Amino acid sequence: MATADHRSTEVLEQLAALLEQRKGAEAGSSYVASLYQKGRAKIAQKVGEEGVEVALAAVGDDRDELINEMADLWFHSLVLLADANLTPADVLDELERRFGLSGLEEKARRAQD
Ligand SMILES: N=c1c2ncn([C@@H]3O[C@H](COP(=O)(O)OP(=O)(O)OP(=O)(O)O)[C@@H](O)[C@H]3O)c2ncn1[C@@H]1O[C@H](COP(=O)(O)O)[C@@H](O)[C@H]1O
């Protein structure tokens, strides 16, 4: 299994920066620019479709298929975030906040034991 390291967030940030640049590109020149042109509902639809594909891949128990479909889901989710003028950092902040909360709950539980 691959291990998480500094690349995990770097690749999200670099891809997000590229997605931001694509806002100024011609729709015919880039898949991402064509998605922006189709609009929020189309991008949201792609995220929904990719989510279903992830679920099907998970049930199929094919490791490579699951990684591929998850990459499609994450990619389209990043496009949706960019279209909404949000960044991966906004989501990472929320995950970090929740992780912090659960960490505190765990500490409190241990203190009671
Ligand atoms: N990571 C990706 C990525 N993952 C998937 N895809 C594209 O997402 C599409 C999904 O395929 P589907 O079959 O679901 O969709 P489709 O049938 O082509 O389109 P729909 O009719 O369903 O809308 C394919 O065209 C893939 O090529 C991606 N396209 C781009 N990127 C990244 O985005 C960057 C910018 O891309 P461009 O804007 O195209 O240069 C690239 O350098 C990559 O790093």
Coordinates of all heavy atoms in Angstrom, one line a residue, residues 15 18-19 22 30-33 38 42 46 49-50 72 75-76, ligand 1:
L15 N -2.7 20.7 -8.9 CA -3.8 20.5 -9.8 C -4.8 21.6 -9.7 O -5.4 22.1 -10.7 CB -4.4 19.1 -9.5 CG -5.5 18.6 -10.5 CD1 -5.1 18.7 -12.0 CD2 -5.9 17.1 -10.2
L18 N -3.7 24.6 -11.6 CA -3.9 24.3 -13.1 C -5.4 24.5 -13.4 O -5.8 25.1 -14.4 CB -3.4 22.9 -13.5 CG -3.5 22.6 -14.9 CD1 -2.7 23.5 -15.8 CD2 -3.0 21.1 -15.1
L19 N -6.3 24.0 -12.6 CA -7.7 24.1 -12.8 C -8.2 25.6 -12.8 O -9.1 26.0 -13.5 CB -8.5 23.3 -11.8 CG -8.3 21.8 -11.8 CD1 -9.1 21.1 -10.7 CD2 -8.5 21.2 -13.2
R22 N -7.3 27.2 -16.1 CA -8.2 26.7 -17.2 C -9.4 27.6 -17.3 O -10.1 27.5 -18.3 CB -8.5 25.3 -17.0 CG -7.4 24.3 -17.2 CD -7.0 24.3 -18.7 NE -6.1 23.2 -19.0 CZ -4.8 23.3 -19.1 NH1 -4.2 24.5 -18.8 NH2 -4.0 22.3 -19.4
S30 N -9.4 22.4 -24.0 CA -9.2 21.7 -22.8 C -10.5 21.1 -22.2 O -11.5 21.7 -22.3 CB -8.6 22.8 -21.8 OG -9.2 22.6 -20.5
Y31 N -10.3 19.9 -21.7 CA -11.5 19.2 -21.1 C -12.1 20.0 -20.0 O -13.3 20.1 -19.8 CB -11.1 17.8 -20.7 CG -12.2 17.0 -19.9 CD1 -13.3 16.6 -20.6 CD2 -12.1 16.8 -18.6 CE1 -14.3 15.9 -19.9 CE2 -13.1 16.1 -17.9 CZ -14.2 15.7 -18.5 OH -15.2 15.1 -17.8
V32 N -11.2 20.5 -19.1 CA -11.6 21.2 -18.0 C -12.3 22.5 -18.4 O -13.4 22.8 -17.8 CB -10.4 21.6 -17.0 CG1 -10.8 22.5 -15.9 CG2 -9.8 20.3 -16.5
A33 N -11.8 23.2 -19.3 CA -12.4 24.5 -19.8 C -13.8 24.1 -20.4 O -14.7 24.9 -20.2 CB -11.5 25.2 -20.8
K38 N -19.8 24.2 -19.8 CA -21.1 23.5 -19.7 C -21.8 23.9 -18.4 O -23.0 23.8 -18.3 CB -20.9 22.0 -19.7 CG -20.5 21.5 -21.2 CD -20.2 20.0 -21.2 CE -19.7 19.6 -22.6 NZ -19.0 18.3 -22.6
K42 N -23.6 20.5 -15.0 CA -22.9 19.4 -15.7 C -21.8 18.9 -14.8 O -21.5 17.7 -14.8 CB -22.4 19.9 -17.0 CG -21.6 18.9 -17.8 CD -22.4 17.7 -18.3 CE -21.5 16.7 -19.0 NZ -22.3 15.5 -19.4
K46 N -21.3 15.1 -13.3 CA -20.1 14.3 -13.5 C -19.6 13.7 -12.1 O -19.2 12.5 -12.0 CB -18.9 15.1 -14.1 CG -19.1 15.4 -15.6 CD -19.2 14.2 -16.5 CE -17.9 13.4 -16.6 NZ -18.1 12.2 -17.5
E49 N -21.9 10.9 -11.2 CA -21.6 9.7 -12.1 C -20.3 9.0 -11.6 O -20.3 7.8 -11.5 CB -21.5 10.1 -13.5 CG -22.8 10.4 -14.2 CD -22.6 11.1 -15.6 OE1 -21.4 11.1 -16.1 OE2 -23.6 11.5 -16.2
E50 N -19.3 9.8 -11.3 CA -18.0 9.2 -10.9 C -18.2 8.5 -9.5 O -17.6 7.5 -9.2 CB -16.9 10.2 -10.9 CG -16.6 10.9 -12.2 CD -16.2 10.0 -13.3 OE1 -15.9 8.8 -13.1 OE2 -16.2 10.5 -14.5
D72 N -10.8 9.6 -10.8 CA -11.8 10.4 -11.6 C -12.7 11.2 -10.7 O -13.0 12.3 -11.0 CB -12.7 9.4 -12.4 CG -11.9 8.9 -13.7 OD1 -10.9 9.5 -14.0 OD2 -12.5 8.0 -14.4
F75 N -10.7 14.1 -9.1 CA -10.5 15.1 -10.2 C -11.7 15.9 -10.4 O -11.7 17.2 -10.4 CB -10.0 14.4 -11.5 CG -10.0 15.3 -12.6 CD1 -9.1 16.4 -12.8 CD2 -11.0 15.1 -13.6 CE1 -9.2 17.2 -13.8 CE2 -11.0 16.0 -14.7 CZ -10.1 17.0 -14.8
H76 N -12.9 15.3 -10.7 CA -14.1 16.0 -11.0 C -14.5 16.8 -9.7 O -15.1 17.9 -9.9 CB -15.2 15.1 -11.5 CG -14.9 14.7 -12.9 ND1 -14.2 13.6 -13.3 CD2 -15.2 15.3 -14.1 CE1 -14.1 13.5 -14.6 NE2 -14.8 14.5 -15.1
Ligands
LIG1 N1 -6.9 14.4 -14.0 C1 -7.5 14.6 -15.1 C2 -8.6 13.8 -15.6 N2 -9.1 12.7 -15.1 C3 -10.1 12.3 -16.0 N3 -10.1 13.2 -17.0 C4 -11.0 13.3 -18.2 O1 -12.3 13.1 -17.7 C5 -13.1 12.6 -18.7 C6 -14.0 11.6 -18.1 O2 -14.4 10.6 -19.0 P1 -15.9 10.2 -19.2 O3 -15.9 9.1 -20.1 O4 -16.6 10.1 -17.9 O5 -16.5 11.6 -19.8 P2 -16.8 11.9 -21.4 O6 -17.6 10.8 -22.0 O7 -15.4 12.2 -22.0 O8 -17.6 13.2 -21.2 P3 -19.2 13.4 -20.8 O9 -19.9 13.4 -22.2 O10 -19.6 12.3 -19.9 O11 -19.2 14.7 -20.2 C7 -12.2 12.0 -19.8 O12 -12.2 12.8 -20.9 C8 -10.8 12.1 -19.1 O13 -9.8 12.4 -20.0 C9 -9.2 14.2 -16.8 N4 -8.9 15.3 -17.5 C10 -7.9 16.1 -17.0 N5 -7.2 15.8 -15.8 C11 -6.1 16.7 -15.3 O14 -6.5 18.0 -15.6 C12 -5.4 18.7 -16.2 C13 -6.0 19.7 -17.2 O15 -6.7 19.0 -18.2 P4 -7.1 19.8 -19.6 O16 -7.9 21.0 -19.2 O17 -7.9 18.8 -20.4 O18 -5.8 20.2 -20.2 C14 -4.6 17.6 -16.9 O19 -3.3 17.9 -17.1 C15 -4.8 16.4 -15.9 O20 -3.8 16.6 -14.9

